[in-house]
Every structure is written in structure tokens, then in C-alpha cells.
Amino acid sequence: MSSPPLLCLFLSLIVVFAGTVSPARASDELERGGGGGGKQREFDYFALALQWPGTFCQRTRHCCANNGCCRGSNSPGIFTIHGLWPDYNDGTWPSCCTKSHFDPKEISTLNEALEKYWPSLSCGSPSSCSGGKGTFWGHEWEKHGTCSSPVFHNEYDYFLTTLNVYFKYNVTSVLNDAGYVPSNTEKYPLGGIISAIENAFHISPQIVCSKGAIEELRLCFYKDFKPRDCAIGADAKIDMVTKKASCPKYVSLPETVSIGRDGLQSWESNDAAL
């Protein structure tokens, strides 16, 4: 019988951090720009972007096998990983830093954990850095992972470490413990959600909303994965909390609607809850 995935991942983390880690923002990430190929300067920090499926999946209008929103009762009801993004302190970011093509075989031993905690929430095929279409994981590696040198030099370490940072900084658990649970009727104070994160991790997050519902929450880290605020300076911090004025003072965490794979989605968004 194989070892529990979480145990294996945490044991492997010791190797990753010892061997590869240097001691030392539109709501849809696919729209993020940045550089494209060529030599780009080394990044300043990491942003761990987490998606709230209950908000994201409301846009699902048809189902497919690779869409995490289409797993019926097994659809995710927790924050899932969108990506680990190398960013610059000036608000820009590098992208597509090398010509390294994604090889799914390199992370095959992580598939079970990735499917559960880093699923695609779309049926579309995101573009690759070479201009073609690829997988969600491939997009994240080619666009962002290739820019994470000198911390990471290969796919496996990039995905494994992202999973372990996600487990260590369990946003869903922190919010649930503070009383912020999935609901299609409740609205929660944005300041309270931010305070819960700050009290737990001693950093200020970045939050992105869609129609009054939290869609994405980002935690930021130095290159050695010690936590840091996602903004520099007071003005930037205010802008961070109200990213593009997308979040009102009271926000919702909608429940994930059960959508099966064998047909079109038949429900409509509950605007009253948003």
C-alpha cells in the first residue's frame, strides 16, 4: 500500500528545501502580461495565488473531464492553487523566461495531489509560451516556473514545493476557524478576512473579487519562503486590499455548485448572494 500523499510530500520537502531553495493580477491569471522570452532580470518574491472554486465555477457553462468544477460532489470546496508566480517589487513580473517545455512525466508522482489541490477550473486549453495550446500545469510551469531560477531549476521541485507551501499556509482552515465558511447567503467583512490571515501568518494578503465574491487570495513570500506582505508601502497596501476596487466591504464565499460531467450546467448565478 502506498504512503499517504501528504506524508510523502512533506518528507520530500526536506530534500527540496535543502537542495534547491536559495537561503537568502487581473482576476484571471491567464491575462497577466509581463515579459515574453529573452533575458529577464531575476524576480524579487513569490506570490502564491489561490482560487476560490465556488466563485470561479459559477462561470462554467459546459463540462469536461479535466475541469475540476465538473466533479459533482467531489468538486473542490477549498481554496485551490492557481499558481506560484515570481514577481517584481514594482508590480510587474517576468514570464516565459526559458524555452523549457512542460513534460508531464516529470511530475507524474505528484498527479494525485495536483488533481486535488491544483486542478484546472476550466475546459479551455491555455496558451503555452511557444504559442500553442497546452495544459493548465504546463502553462503555469512554462510561463511562471521557468522564471523562478535560481530557486528552482526543474518542474518537480517547483510543483512539489508549491504544494508544501500551500499545505503549510492553509488559508481555508484559517478562515473556517474564524467563522468564514462557504455560504450562498452570508456576506463577511473583508477586513475580518484580512485580519484572520494577518493573525495567522503575520502577513497581509492580496484579495481579488468578482461580483462581490472572493475569487482569488494571494500570499507572498521571500525567495526562502519566509512570508512577507504582498505590497510595499502604505499606498500600495491600501491598493492591495481593494485590488482594482474589485472587493466591497462585505464579500461572499459562495458554495461550490455540484456540476456533473455528463451535461450542460443548468443553474444560474445567485446574484443576490453576491
Side-chain angles (χ1 to χ4, degrees):
M1 182 173 66
S2 60
S3 301
L6 280 180
L7 177 60
C8 293
L9 288 168
F10 277 108
L11 289 176
S12 300
L13 179 63
I14 299 173
V15 177
V16 173
F17 274 82
T20 65
V21 177
S22 301
R25 263 163 248 265
S27 61
D28 185 352
E29 181 270 339
L30 300 183
E31 296 176 1
R32 283 167 60 102
K39 186 171 181 58
Q40 301 172 67
R41 73 183 191 274
E42 186 177 326
F43 71 101
D44 295 316
Y45 69 97
F46 284 113
L48 176 66
L50 307 175
Q51 317 182 102
W52 182 251
T55 302
F56 198 96
C57 293
Q58 293 199 35
R59 295 197 292 267
T60 300
R61 290 294 174 264
H62 68 280
C63 279
C64 58
N66 64 338
N67 186 345
C69 296
C70 300
R71 296 174 182 171
S73 60
N74 291 323
S75 296
I78 57 176
F79 277 97
T80 60
I81 301 169
H82 193 163
L84 182 69
W85 303 336
D87 279 351
Y88 296 131
N89 285 327
D90 63 8
T92 63
W93 49 85
S95 65
C96 300
C97 292
T98 74
K99 295 182 179 180
S100 174
H101 294 291
F102 177 67
D103 182 357
K105 295 179 182 177
E106 293 293 322
I107 57 171
S108 60
T109 57
L110 302 177
N111 277 354
E112 183 178 351
L114 291 172
E115 286 287 355
K116 184 173 183 179
Y117 302 109
W118 198 334
S120 172
L121 299 180
S122 171
C123 288
S125 298
S127 60
S128 65
C129 288
S130 61
K133 296 293 183 180
T135 65
F136 179 44
W137 299 334
H139 171 87
E140 292 301 314
W141 165 250
E142 291 188 15
K143 184 172 182 180
H144 301 293
T146 60
C147 298
S148 61
S149 176
V151 178
F152 301 114
H153 297 285
N154 62 71
E155 293 175 29
Y156 183 83
D157 290 346
Y158 172 77
F159 283 96
L160 175 64
T161 303
T162 302
L163 285 167
N164 279 290
V165 173
Y166 166 80
F167 295 142
K168 181 176 181 179
Y169 296 90
N170 190 328
V171 168
T172 305
S173 178
V174 166
L175 295 186
N176 286 351
D177 289 347
Y180 304 121
V181 298
S183 173
N184 287 331
T185 58
E186 293 291 329
K187 288 190 176 182
Y188 303 114
L190 178 64
I193 289 175
I194 292 170
S195 293
I197 298 297
E198 290 178 334
N199 291 338
F201 305 138
H202 309 293
I203 54 174
S204 295
Q206 184 181 70
I207 298 177
V208 180
C209 298
S210 175
K211 296 182 179 180
I214 290 182
E215 181 170 75
E216 193 157 282
L217 189 151
R218 299 167 188 165
L219 302 178
C220 297
F221 301 90
Y222 294 104
K223 295 177 187 178
D224 59 359
F225 289 99
K226 292 179 180 178
R228 53 158 278 176
D229 286 345
C230 286
I232 302 295
D235 291 342
K237 190 168 183 177
I238 292 172
D239 183 58
M240 166 203 68
V241 173
T242 58
K243 179 70 173 175
K244 295 194 173 182
S246 66
C247 293
K249 291 183 178 179
Y250 287 84
V251 296
S252 62
L253 283 168
E255 298 178 59
T256 303
V257 176
S258 179
I259 309 170
R261 295 181 179 178
D262 300 327
L264 296 177
Q265 177 182 353
S266 59
W267 57 275
E268 295 182 358
S269 298
N270 182 1
D271 291 334
L274 301 182

